[in-house]
Amino acid sequence: SIAMASLLSCSVLAASAQEREVLFEDNFDGSKKSSWTEFWGDWDFGGADNGLSVATTAGKTLPKIITGLNQDWQHYEIEVDLEGVSNGGVIFRSNNPVTGFDGFDGYYVGYDSKYAFFGIDQNGWKTINKGGALAGATRELKYKESMHWKIVVQGDTFTAYVDDMNTPFVQVQDGTYAQGGVGVRFHVLAGDTSGSVKNL
């Protein structure tokens, strides 16, 4: 769930030292499909496993983006399950997703079956290389069939937890974007499957 610090069943929670408010939850059974806007790709809600995945197009490499409509969230946590995802992750503080293009003006935490990392899209993509006080900006993360992620978005510090919800896995600091929506991104090669995200 998303509380002032969590999102996607994904859930999103508002981050607050005193109180946690659920801002949004989705288990991707299709009942909340209207809460999302598809910017690129052929998205599949539900199916037999109630997950969010994408279809591929032969001969193409397609990044896939879907972004929540709420654009004014500032401090929150996102929790989500990833199953069979080899290259993908979560978008947050997105301000201007572009239809038909892999651009979202915000941040991204993802992995490529080798490393977990944070990046920023600001008229172009770059990896954020400056690590926070609790963890480095990039860390080895080999492919796992199933993972639970928590991303804490607080001020200019972003912390990702993988399976272990007590020890930061990767952390960065950046002050470019102060607020914005949440999304999911896959990078899928032709002939591959995207895997799915669940329980945001």
Side-chain angles (χ1 to χ4, degrees), residues 8-154:
L8 290 174
S9 257
C10 301
S11 62
V12 176
L13 303 173
S16 165
Q18 311 240 317
E19 181 179 337
R20 288 166 62 89
E21 168 194 3
V22 176
L23 300 175
F24 180 77
E25 279 186 301
D26 198 346
N27 66 2
F28 299 115
D29 62 359
S31 63
K32 294 188 178 178
K33 185 174 181 179
S34 63
S35 298
W36 298 87
T37 301
E38 301 177 17
F39 290 94
W40 195 5
D42 180 14
W43 293 83
D44 180 26
F45 283 80
D49 62 354
N50 277 356
L52 177 66
S53 59
V54 294
T56 61
T57 302
K60 305 250 181 178
T61 302
L62 296 175
K64 312 289 186 176
I65 299 173
I66 187 165
T67 304
L69 298 179
N70 191 325
Q71 300 297 303
D72 61 1
W73 293 335
Q74 294 181 333
H75 314 290
Y76 49 85
E77 293 177 2
I78 303 162
E79 292 198 36
V80 63
D81 296 315
L82 287 79
E83 293 191 7
V85 176
S86 61
N87 196 329
V90 174
I91 294 167
F92 60 96
R93 288 192 180 168
S94 174
N95 289 272
N96 186 31
V98 180
T99 301
F101 184 72
D102 184 22
F104 46 89
D105 283 356
Y107 298 103
Y108 172 75
V109 57
Y111 90 115
D112 58 8
S113 294
K114 295 179 181 178
Y115 296 94
F117 53 89
F118 280 92
I120 182 172
D121 178 68
Q122 186 182 30
N123 299 319
W125 163 264
K126 69 176 181 179
T127 302
I128 300 173
N129 294 317
K130 182 179 178 183
L134 298 179
T138 303
R139 185 169 171 188
E140 185 175 8
L141 180 59
K142 294 182 179 178
Y143 175 78
K144 296 175 71 173
E145 182 65 23
S146 178
M147 291 184 284
H148 180 77
W149 284 13
K150 178 172 74 172
I151 300 105
V152 178
V153 180
Q154 182 67 50

Side-chain angles (χ1 to χ4, degrees), residues 145-183:
E145 182 65 23
S146 178
M147 291 184 284
H148 180 77
W149 284 13
K150 178 172 74 172
I151 300 105
V152 178
V153 180
Q154 182 67 50
D156 67 352
T157 303
F158 317 128
T159 309
Y161 299 80
V162 178
D163 293 330
D164 174 359
M165 296 295 102
N166 297 311
T167 306
F169 192 81
V170 60
Q171 183 181 69
V172 297
Q173 292 181 305
D174 186 87
T176 305
Y177 297 109
Q179 63 186 36
V182 172

